[in-house]
Amino acid sequence: MSINHKSIFLKVKEYNGNPIDEYNKISSFLNKKCYYNYSIYSLLNDNFQCSTLLRINYIDFDNCLNSVIKNLDVYADSDFSYLEEGTQEILLDDFLTYCELITHIYFVTYNNYIKRIWDDTHFDKNIYIQLIDLIKASLKSMNHDIKMIDDDTSEVLAIKCNPEAESVAEQSPTSLKEAIIYYLGSRDNDLEEKENRLHKIIDLLEPILKKYKELDAVKKVEEYVQLIRHSELKKNEEHYKWFFENKGDYIDDIFMMCIFVKEYEITKTNIKKFESLKKE
């Protein structure tokens, strides 16, 4: 197995957009006035205390954002393409968290305040809507999207775009659906967390892996998922040295193997429904 193996997920240097340029766009847009002399930022700041998720850890919106924008501000005038890969990944991580925070407070503010002034002629709803469109476009330029996780709390998650995995998630039981979405929301610079989230998916798929264990393709998947489930035992085996020396290069591929196994079961089940087209 070659150590030059390339993940099916795009890496930060392969994105069309970059965290610095997109951060500058969004932070600038937040200063636009949308209600009398109130900027979007002012409205979000005024409604920060309505966030049950953030108010227990931060005193206000400024304090919350400052916890993630320090690096983005430091490199705000830099050419992203010339930065070291490690720095690029840190900036991407910070930018994704920044988008999550802004989007979360955006919906909290909408639910707790904007709904009441929506039809006020002094409120520019187009500017307010444009903010979420801008965030989505920025994330899309870096192969990401924003996903609502909990409607009640307005919790959101920035996830890697993967239509196949997202489609499988939508057709899966709630526990597996959530596990898949949370994996897509994992960060590449936190390998331990990615592995933990993949482990959860593998555990949930165990019945399916057993059910189709006689299929050659599934046998291979079963072999590789053991490298995650029993890594302490497997890492000393010479046969798998290539994997543990470059684990980060293979985690996403094992994730997609799991997706393909679930997809196989979904397809097989759906086809069975159409064994006969004859109407009784």
Side-chain angles (χ1 to χ4, degrees):
M1 188 70 69
S2 170
I3 62 172
N4 293 320
H5 177 77
K6 184 178 179 181
S7 170
I8 57 173
F9 286 100
L10 292 177
K11 298 301 182 184
V12 61
K13 62 185 178 183
E14 300 172 293
Y15 298 149
N16 292 323
N18 71 75
I20 293 175
D21 292 345
E22 300 306 322
Y23 165 69
N24 288 336
K25 279 187 210 173
I26 295 171
S27 60
S28 175
F29 190 82
L30 285 171
N31 293 318
K32 280 186 173 289
K33 301 283 194 301
C34 67
Y35 189 50
Y36 291 102
N37 287 322
Y38 281 91
S39 65
I40 301 176
Y41 189 94
S42 297
L43 291 177
L44 301 184
N45 184 52
D46 287 351
N47 287 274
F48 177 81
Q49 293 301 322
C50 296
S51 169
T52 57
L53 296 179
L54 298 179
R55 68 190 183 199
I56 59 174
N57 294 315
Y58 304 99
I59 59 175
D60 56 30
F61 196 38
D62 284 336
N63 176 241
C64 177
L65 286 188
N66 286 339
S67 68
V68 298
I69 64 174
K70 292 177 183 176
N71 292 319
L72 291 164
D73 282 339
V74 167
Y75 291 99
D77 297 321
S78 302
D79 186 326
F80 185 78
S81 63
Y82 287 103
L83 299 177
E84 294 182 356
E85 185 174 351
T87 301
Q88 290 181 340
E89 290 180 352
I90 290 171
L91 291 174
L92 174 62
D93 191 9
D94 288 348
F95 177 72
L96 295 177
T97 302
Y98 174 76
C99 287
E100 288 173 344
L101 292 174
I102 296 292
T103 304
H104 167 66
I105 296 299
Y106 174 94
F107 284 111
V108 167
T109 300
Y110 175 78
N111 290 327
N112 290 278
Y113 182 68
I114 299 299
K115 279 183 178 180
R116 301 202 302 269
I117 64 169
W118 190 254
D119 294 321
D120 190 320
T121 55
H122 297 98
F123 176 64
D124 193 330
K125 63 184 69 174
N126 289 323
I127 289 181
Y128 194 77
I129 292 172
Q130 191 179 347
L131 173 60
I132 201 66
D133 290 340
L134 179 60
I135 290 173
K136 287 182 177 181
S138 292
L139 288 170
K140 186 176 181 180
S141 75
M142 287 175 280
N143 201 42
H144 280 73
D145 195 3
I146 198 84
K147 192 90 171 175
M148 181 66 70
I149 300 299
D150 189 321
D151 290 325
D152 293 333
T153 62
S154 297
E155 180 184 0
V156 298
L157 186 67
I159 65 170
K160 299 180 184 72
C161 292
N162 188 308
E164 189 158 22
E166 292 174 63
S167 175
V168 168
E170 289 300 320
Q171 300 175 75
S172 298
T174 301
S175 57
L176 181 57
K177 174 183 177 180
E178 291 178 350
I180 291 172
I181 295 302
Y182 274 107
Y183 180 86
L184 292 175
S186 61
R187 308 293 167 81
D188 288 336
N189 61 350
D190 191 346
L191 186 58
E192 182 178 355
E193 182 60 22
K194 285 188 75 171
E195 191 171 346
N196 288 338
R197 295 186 186 189
L198 179 56
H199 201 300
K200 175 71 178 294
I201 293 170
I202 292 169
D203 287 345
L204 292 170
L205 286 178
E206 184 177 10
I208 299 174
L209 290 168
K210 285 183 176 179
K211 182 177 180 179
Y212 299 110
K213 64 182 181 181
E214 298 305 318
L215 294 176
D216 289 341
V218 177
K219 284 180 182 177
K220 206 63 183 175
V221 175
E222 177 67 23
E223 175 188 351
Y224 290 137
V225 299
Q226 298 310 315
L227 300 179
I228 302 298
R229 288 181 115 178
H230 305 295
S231 58
E232 289 302 312
L233 295 174
K234 296 290 185 180
K235 69 180 181 181
N236 295 320
E237 295 185 23
E238 184 67 25
H239 182 63
Y240 297 117
K241 186 177 179 181
W242 55 268
F243 175 82
F244 290 101
E245 286 181 346
N246 302 277
K247 189 189 293 187
D249 293 340
Y250 300 103
I251 294 291
D252 287 338
D253 294 298
I254 295 179
F255 165 74
M256 286 308 298
M257 288 179 184
C258 292
I259 293 300
F260 293 146
V261 169
K262 180 58 181 176
E263 189 173 35
Y264 172 79
E265 189 207 33
I266 292 170
T267 303
K268 195 171 186 296
T269 301
N270 288 342
I271 287 177
K272 190 173 181 61
K273 296 177 184 177
F274 294 97
E275 284 182 345
S276 173
L277 291 177
K278 183 179 178 181
K279 304 293 184 184
E280 298 297 336

